[in-house]
Amino acid sequence: MMSSDQTESTDPAATTSIQSGAGEPPRGPVPSQASDSAKKHRAQQTLRNLILAIIACVGVLVLMLVVVPRDDSPMHTAVDYQGTAQGIQPTVDWRLAVPEPGSGWQANRADIDQEPTNQLQVWTIGFVTPKHQYIRFEQVKGANPTWVSQDLDGRRPTGQIDLSGHTFTVYDQRDSPDFQKGQNNYALTTEVSGTTLIFNGTADDDEFAQLIDATLTSLNS
């Protein structure tokens, strides 16, 4: 038992340990610095992932352009308009025009329709030209000027031209702001063998003349 006049002894080692520990700075990064570092890391990782995703998308697109076959055939599948005409001819009392414009021409339509209002039969062939333009040929018996105007969407004649020994009425809207590229902006009409011939499309003058010459030749042969 310790007397009242005795003082408590102190362990020097313990005191030194406590004092040295009290003066040490906190170990590890300051919480705010650690948070900023994590945010920067996540931002860099997100940007890296975005760049990789873009590269992957571009790679897939390039692969599709290289591997996927492209259809270079003009405007749908070719049809046998000559065979179609042979099947239709016995059903009408007028001669069908079956033009053969030559190499590079292709038909993508051939049929005969009966108008519901006036019962007119319209023989139609759609031609894709060698220059990848389009001409719709129509032949109809008994058509009047009103029907022709309606068939050409109300366009008005702009002149006349002589082709292959026949005079054609011209409907030229090539420079009209109302007609956009790809629309049928040029048409020619005439009367041959009691039928009305209508040529309507986007081709140039030479291709129109070539098809007209072939059409008249088929009717005169």
Side-chain angles (χ1 to χ4, degrees):
M1 186 171 180
M2 185 179 299
S3 61
S4 58
D5 57 346
Q6 289 179 322
T7 58
E8 295 182 356
S9 62
T10 304
D11 186 351
T15 303
T16 302
S17 176
I18 293 172
Q19 290 176 350
S20 62
E24 289 182 357
R27 296 182 179 180
V30 177
S32 60
Q33 294 177 342
S35 176
D36 291 342
S37 177
K39 288 180 180 179
K40 291 180 180 179
H41 177 74
R42 287 195 297 269
Q44 292 174 352
Q45 187 66 36
T46 300
L47 179 60
R48 188 180 299 111
N49 291 340
L50 178 60
I51 294 173
L52 291 175
I54 293 174
I55 294 174
C57 291
V58 172
V60 171
L61 180 60
V62 171
L63 183 63
M64 291 178 62
L65 292 175
V66 173
V67 175
V68 176
R70 291 184 293 270
D71 183 11
D72 295 327
S73 61
M75 303 182 192
H76 309 301
T77 305
V79 300
D80 179 12
Y81 69 95
Q82 294 168 321
T84 302
Q86 290 179 357
I88 294 174
Q89 185 62 77
T91 68
V92 296
D93 60 357
W94 40 279
R95 184 173 182 179
L96 298 178
V98 189
E100 298 181 13
S103 176
W105 290 75
Q106 177 178 295
N108 61 13
R109 175 187 176 184
D111 55 61
I112 190 164
D113 290 329
Q114 185 164 321
E115 296 289 330
T117 54
N118 47 32
Q119 303 301 305
L120 293 178
Q121 292 179 305
V122 184
W123 165 235
T124 303
I125 308 174
F127 283 102
V128 179
T129 75
K131 297 178 183 178
H132 300 285
Q133 297 301 312
Y134 182 77
I135 301 177
R136 184 183 70 204
F137 164 69
E138 293 176 308
Q139 182 183 16
V140 56
K141 183 179 181 180
N144 56 37
T146 301
W147 186 91
V148 173
S149 177
Q150 292 175 347
D151 186 61
L152 295 176
D153 301 319
R155 282 180 275 174
R156 296 181 178 181
T158 58
Q160 289 185 329
I161 188 173
D162 290 330
L163 293 170
S164 301
H166 291 264
T167 300
F168 286 80
T169 301
V170 180
Y171 301 79
D172 186 357
Q173 276 74 38
R174 287 169 173 164
D175 297 327
S176 173
D178 297 330
F179 283 77
Q180 299 176 356
K181 184 178 181 180
Q183 289 183 307
N184 294 338
N185 54 17
Y186 189 80
L188 299 170
T189 66
T190 194
E191 302 289 327
V192 177
S193 302
T195 63
T196 300
L197 307 183
I198 302 174
F199 301 83
N200 185 20
T202 62
D204 59 22
D205 292 348
D206 291 340
E207 290 187 323
F208 266 96
Q210 186 177 352
L211 180 57
I212 286 171
D213 186 67
T215 301
L216 296 175
T217 298
S218 74
L219 290 173
N220 295 328
S221 60

